[in-house]
Amino acid sequence: DSGVTQTPKHLITATGQRVTLRCSPRSGDLSVYWYQQSLDQGLQFLIQYYNGEERAKGNILERFSAQQFPDLHSELNLSSLELGDSALYFCASSVHGDGRDGYTFGSGTRLTVV
Amino acid sequence: AQTVTQSQPEMSVQEAETVTLSCTYDTSENNYYLFWYKQPPSRQMILVIRQEAYKQQNATENRFSVNFQKAAKSFSLKISDSQLGDTAMYFCAFMKHEKAAGNKLTFGGGTRVLVKP
């Protein structure tokens, strides 16, 4: 157990739907990062939050949004889902805002859009 | 923008033998961090080893060691005394050094390692 908790582990939904992925960072970690892993794109950075504030944005689609709550857990919202959004979504956390010690990853949420 | 290249899609090694995974990166930064992550079939991403670019000494973690060649922008991973549990996908990753928050990991495409009994 890495200490980073992601729920749900698996999600199957239809095109056009909206889903919410949840992440609880490791105790004491203030930064949360979201990554998407797909066969064709590899591991892509989506977005980072640090202590409740957005700090960096990557290749995140406008249909996707995220937030970090006062208790530091984070949610990634995916809307108007398309088949191509099927992927493994990882959340990671780090103690330092700059992530220099490396991230601790959760076990991921496998999203399948049918 | 930084890019990370892993030129070996797949490698196999006999148990107890040594295998070396290649990674090259492209950056104009002088200060940065390099990482190797392991993703076993369980799909969990596990940090294997970390290197700070301003340190000349190569990092070592038990059976895992790196050969960091800054001028060549090369960062290879050596797995010694390979064990069946080392079977996994291995990703090389780059992060530039900034004091401010907002540093992302840029990953290579991965190398699949199969340890054979």
Side-chain angles (χ1 to χ4, degrees), chain A residues 35 48 100 103 105 107, chain B residues 37 43-44 50 102-103 105:
Chain A
Y35 277 77
Q48 180 206 358
R100 63 183 183 264
Y103 303 169
F105 281 82
S107 58
Chain B
Y37 278 86
R43 80 188 184 194
Q44 176 83 49
R50 168 184 175 273
N103 289 331
L105 278 171

Side-chain angles (χ1 to χ4, degrees), chain B residues 6 12-13 22 24 59 87-88 91 102 107 112 116:
Chain B
Q6 294 179 248
S12 64
V13 60
S22 300
T24 58
T87 291
F91 292 95
F107 287 90
R112 187 174 304 280
K116 297 179 177 180

Side-chain angles (χ1 to χ4, degrees), chain B residues 6-55:
Chain B
Q6 294 179 248
S7 58
Q8 304 148 315
E10 191 167 325
M11 299 187 75
S12 64
V13 60
Q14 291 296 132
E15 197 174 6
E17 297 294 307
T18 295
V19 63
T20 299
L21 312 183
S22 300
C23 172
T24 58
Y25 55 94
D26 185 24
T27 185
S28 59
E29 303 287 333
N30 190 46
N31 291 326
Y32 48 87
Y33 302 96
L34 295 163
F35 306 85
W36 279 97
Y37 278 86
K38 167 185 176 181
Q39 187 177 35
S42 67
R43 80 188 184 194
Q44 176 83 49
M45 293 287 287
I46 302 165
L47 177 62
V48 175
I49 201 164
R50 168 184 175 273
Q51 175 80 40
E52 300 172 13
Y54 58 87
K55 288 187 177 180

Side-chain angles (χ1 to χ4, degrees), chain B residues 43-108:
Chain B
R43 80 188 184 194
Q44 176 83 49
M45 293 287 287
I46 302 165
L47 177 62
V48 175
I49 201 164
R50 168 184 175 273
Q51 175 80 40
E52 300 172 13
Y54 58 87
K55 288 187 177 180
Q56 292 186 343
Q57 186 173 4
N58 290 323
T60 298
E61 287 288 341
N62 301 314
R63 298 181 295 105
F64 298 88
S65 61
V66 298
N67 183 4
F68 172 50
Q69 301 289 327
K70 191 172 184 179
K73 298 181 182 176
S74 170
F75 183 60
S76 62
L77 174 70
K78 184 170 79 172
I79 307 174
S80 303
D81 186 24
S82 296
Q83 301 175 0
L84 296 178
D86 295 334
T87 291
M89 195 77 165
Y90 287 80
F91 292 95
C92 178
F94 171 99
M95 177 191 292
K96 63 181 180 180
H97 173 75
E98 282 186 16
K99 288 187 178 180
N103 289 331
K104 65 173 185 178
L105 278 171
T106 300
F107 287 90

